[in-house]
Structures are given as C-alpha cells and as structure tokens.
Amino acid sequence: MRCLRDFLQTAQQSGVAIGHFNVSDLVLVKAVFAAARELNVSVLVGLSEGEREFVGTRQIAAFVRSLREEFDFPIFLNADHTHSLAKGIEAAKAGFDSIVFDLSALPIEENVRQTKQAVEAMKAVNPSMLVEGEIGDIGTGSEIHESSPDLSKGLSTPEEAKQFVESTRVDILAPAVGNMHGMLRSMVRGETKKRLDIERIASIKRAARVFVTLHGGSGTDDEDLRKAIAAGINIVHINTELRVAWRHGLEHGLAKQPDEVVPYKILPSVVDSVKQVVGSRLQLFNGRHVGHGT
C-alpha cells in the first residue's frame, strides 16, 4: 500500500481532493469506509483530542490499520487538532498517518517556534508521518452555533503562509480562508451556506507550495468547494455534517423500532444516514457528478 503522501500527490495532479471525515465511534468508521469503497476513492478518517480520548488512540489506529490491510484499501488516519506535543507523540507512536498540530490560537511567532519543534520530534518517532500546521482563525468546535463569529480579522495571508511553511517545515498547511468550524442552525436547515475566499486560497497555495487543507468544510457551498479544490485545496474536513446525520439516523432507528434493544439492529440506519453524506461529499471532492439531494 502506497503512503498518504503518494495519494495526496496523485490527488493534486488529478485536481481532486481527499475527503477527511471525523469519527468517534465504530458506526462512523463503518459508514466512511463503506462510502469510500463504493466509490473506490482514498479517504482520511480523523479524530480530535476529545474523539481520541473517547475511542482510544492506539485502538482506533489498530482498527483502521486492520481495515487497510484486510481490504487492501487506502483508508488513512489523522490526529486532528492536536494542541500539545505529548498528544502528538502519542499519535506518532500509535502509527497515525498524519497529524494536525494546531497552535493557531497562539501568536504567530510562538506558533512557528513550537510547530517547528513538534515537526522534528514527531518525525523522529514516525518519519513517514505527515505534519500539518495551522495559521489564522477558523473558530472552534464542530457543533451547531447560534451565531457566526467575525473571522475576517483572522484570515491568513500568502506572506504569512510562506514564512510559516519555510520556518516550520510542515508537510501540510491549514489556512483561514473564510472557512469556519461547526455550522449555524440556518446551515443545518439548508437556508445558508459558507462561502470561501477562492483568490486567497490560490495565492496561499502559490506562496506556500505544500499540500493545503480546508478545515470546517461542513455547510460550505458546493460550487465554492469545487473552486477551492481547483485553487489548490488537497484535503477537505467534514465533521458537523456527519454528527447531524448520525443523530438523525439514530432518532430514525429508535422511532422505527421503539421496543428494540439490540444495538446492531438499531444502528444500521445511522450507518446509512452518515454514509449518504460521506458519499455525496466524496463524489464532489473527486469531481464526480453528485446526485440530487446533497
């Protein structure tokens, strides 16, 4: 099996992006894996520090590795939004394929200094691990927000991106380009969409010359996502859309079988609900035609 870097390079050459989906239970992993296999496209599953704490860092690494090996399928594992070196080393030792070392809340000089140290430390443990650094402000929390924070002041610039990448030697950059973690209630209802600064993405890509990730992809306008990928985005993160689908699927499963107590009889509707969202996003990211209802 080729490594994640190879698949990212292939995606970049083909003008497509790899979908990254956050998971915090077996149901979500099953849904993401099933959707990716059906479309035969590589995929990343990611877990934040909180999600890793719930599932188990070494346990999820063993599980994803077993899927990759048994099915000879390119499913990769990312340690999403990691805020300390200790947690980063833990993920590196567990065999994660990539890590988001996120110190974007710190002043840029401090972010650069600590990220540079982290890149060296984690690659000493796991040389093939890809390290992603983050700059700018994209808000916090993959959840439903009542109101949108003003993120315009925290947008990343091409100069900042170039300096950050050159100083830290990160493999992947996560900039702030109009994206935001979580979704507004109006986005869940489908009334509004997030919009991206496509020109900024293209300028940052030219300046940084590394793989670029779009965090907070949930609720983003489809056409903006297509343009963002064409402008140089290589990985798109989706979390809140899956969480909403997970909940809807669970409510549907319980309502359909109000007296059922067997988890594996209730949970298939959750798998189906999440798989539908993942499938439509993977089609979009891979330049395939997306059917009605996405």
Side-chain angles (χ1 to χ4, degrees):
M1 174 65 65
R2 293 182 298 146
C3 64
L4 176 57
R5 185 186 293 277
D6 293 338
F7 280 93
L8 280 167
Q9 273 163 349
T10 302
Q12 182 157 274
Q13 285 156 4
S14 311
V16 301
I18 294 181
H20 173 291
F21 302 93
N22 283 69
V23 299
S24 51
D25 69 2
L26 179 60
V27 171
L28 285 153
V29 180
K30 277 174 74 79
V32 173
F33 186 59
R37 280 191 78 205
E38 218 164 83
L39 293 165
N40 196 27
V41 294
S42 55
V43 72
L44 263 162
V45 290
L47 298 91
S48 65
E49 285 185 1
E51 289 162 340
R52 298 197 303 270
E53 207 168 295
F54 183 72
V55 178
T57 302
R58 285 172 62 184
Q59 288 70 32
I60 191 67
F63 190 80
V64 170
R65 194 179 306 118
S66 73
L67 288 175
R68 186 157 61 195
E69 287 169 3
E70 182 180 343
F71 297 93
D72 190 28
F73 193 84
I75 178 170
F76 297 101
L77 184 61
N78 175 54
D80 202 12
H81 295 293
T82 302
H83 304 289
S84 73
L85 186 52
K87 294 281 186 196
I89 296 292
E90 183 183 36
K93 284 182 174 169
F96 276 60
D97 299 289
S98 60
I99 183 165
V100 179
F101 194 70
D102 177 11
L103 299 181
S104 57
L106 296 177
I108 186 75
E109 300 78 18
E110 196 52 32
N111 184 356
V112 166
R113 191 181 70 77
Q114 290 193 39
T115 301
K116 182 176 188 289
Q117 288 176 343
V119 170
E120 290 165 4
M122 287 184 288
K123 286 190 182 273
V125 174
N126 180 359
S128 63
M129 188 186 218
L130 299 183
V131 182
E132 176 175 325
E134 189 165 321
I135 54 173
D137 180 14
I138 54 175
T140 57
S142 295
E143 46 212 34
I144 310 303
H145 302 296
E146 294 299 336
S147 60
S148 175
D150 179 14
L151 302 173
S152 60
K153 291 184 283 292
L155 292 174
S156 308
T157 65
E159 298 74 31
E160 190 180 47
K162 184 175 192 294
Q163 185 217 335
F164 182 82
V165 169
E166 286 175 357
S167 304
T168 59
R169 310 296 295 272
V170 290
D171 304 288
I172 307 168
L173 178 70
V177 288
N179 43 333
M180 176 192 98
H181 279 131
M183 290 169 76
L184 302 177
R185 291 203 182 279
S186 57
M187 291 171 185
V188 177
R189 293 191 296 267
E191 296 161 4
T192 60
K193 298 281 185 190
K194 293 179 195 171
R195 304 308 298 245
L196 303 171
D197 188 336
I198 306 301
E199 270 309 302
R200 189 177 295 269
I201 293 169
S203 306
I204 286 171
K205 182 72 176 187
R206 282 193 299 270
R209 299 171 67 122
V210 289
F211 298 123
V212 180
T213 299
L214 182 77
H215 284 264
S218 290
T220 304
D221 178 72
D222 283 6
E223 195 50 40
D224 274 24
L225 284 171
R226 285 190 193 94
K227 287 177 180 167
I229 292 164
I233 291 290
N234 306 106
I235 303 168
V236 182
H237 280 230
I238 302 286
N239 189 352
T240 315
E241 284 179 16
L242 266 58
R243 291 176 169 184
V244 170
W246 182 94
R247 171 144 191 160
H248 286 169
L250 183 61
E251 286 169 349
H252 176 69
L254 292 168
K256 202 170 61 176
Q257 307 173 85
D259 300 319
E260 186 57 79
V261 295
V262 181
Y264 65 76
K265 292 183 179 176
I266 299 166
L267 293 170
S269 63
V270 187
V271 176
D272 291 343
S273 177
V274 174
K275 185 183 159 199
Q276 214 172 339
V277 173
V278 174
S280 70
R281 284 311 194 192
L282 283 174
Q283 287 180 65
L284 181 82
F285 302 160
N286 285 277
R288 314 253 181 109
H289 174 69
V290 183
H292 181 66
T294 59

